[in-house]
Amino acid sequence: MIRMILVGSFLILFLIFSIPIMFVEWIIGKYNPELKSRSSLAIVNWAFRCVRFLAGTKVDYIGEENIPTDTAVLYVGNHRSFFDTVLTYVRVPRPTGYIAKKSIEKVPLLNVWMRNLHCLFLDRENIKTGMQTILAAIDLMKSGKSICIFPEGTRNKEEGTLLPFHEGSFKIASKAGCPIVPMTILNSAAVFEDQFPKIKKAHVIIEYGKPIYVKELPKEQQKQLAPYVQNIIQETYNRNKDNI
């Protein structure tokens, strides 16, 4: 429980004491939006690294050389834990927005930082606003911002399996003309969810697959991107599961 108290206290204090920084970031954004993107990325990366340290989480990052650094990418990953965002965000090489569920937008202060980081809030119950979110993500990628999405749509509560990937998530990459980077996350629920409300030391493996360029795929695979990428992530998971 001590780790839970440490992590929770740090996050609360960070959000409170970062209020003046939010104001500075707002001013910077008025004159230099790109500088604001980079500075917000650096600040939140630092905060998430602190969270990872306080949680006592050891992470093996595999295949980072597969992430293109000269273009925006669509990260597509399986989703088991709240910590998936923390553990993956600390490694992104460029400003990256995560697509989160709509309810998180109501969390004070956190929602400000998420907007600074180009995060988008998806209402899966409303098709019209959901499509608007997808279009906003496409525009962000065209402007050079990467996007991360967990296409299972919710946290999967069963280790070792994947919920069906939503096909609409992959329209972001195909319409933006940017590569897809498969992101396989193993054992992240062992940090928190498996013994809620405690946080315990855990060993997590995150492997980044080779980038997928949609236009280079056969036409049939382009039409079935969701199962194609899901199969890559499932195979990677099965290959790495004995290393935990």
Side-chain angles (χ1 to χ4, degrees), residues 124-140:
R124 296 191 182 275
E125 304 302 320
N126 190 314
I127 296 177
K128 183 178 180 180
T129 59
M131 181 55 66
Q132 290 173 346
T133 303
I134 297 298
L135 292 174
I138 293 169
D139 288 340
L140 277 175

Side-chain angles (χ1 to χ4, degrees), residues 165-177:
F165 282 13
H166 294 280
E167 195 73 48
S169 306
F170 296 86
K171 293 180 180 178
I172 300 172
S174 57
K175 296 294 185 182

Side-chain angles (χ1 to χ4, degrees), residues 3 11 14 21 41 43 49 61 150 177 190 208 215 240:
R3 293 187 185 277
L11 289 174
F14 170 77
I21 300 175
L41 171 66
I43 292 166
R49 286 196 298 271
Y61 294 97
F150 300 110
Y208 300 91
K215 290 184 178 180
N240 286 333

Side-chain angles (χ1 to χ4, degrees), residues 95-114:
T96 301
Y98 279 57
I99 295 184
K101 59 184 179 181
K102 185 71 174 176
S103 59
I104 298 179
E105 191 177 16
K106 298 178 182 179
V107 181
L109 302 180
L110 176 62
N111 54 13
V112 177
W113 277 113
M114 292 183 73

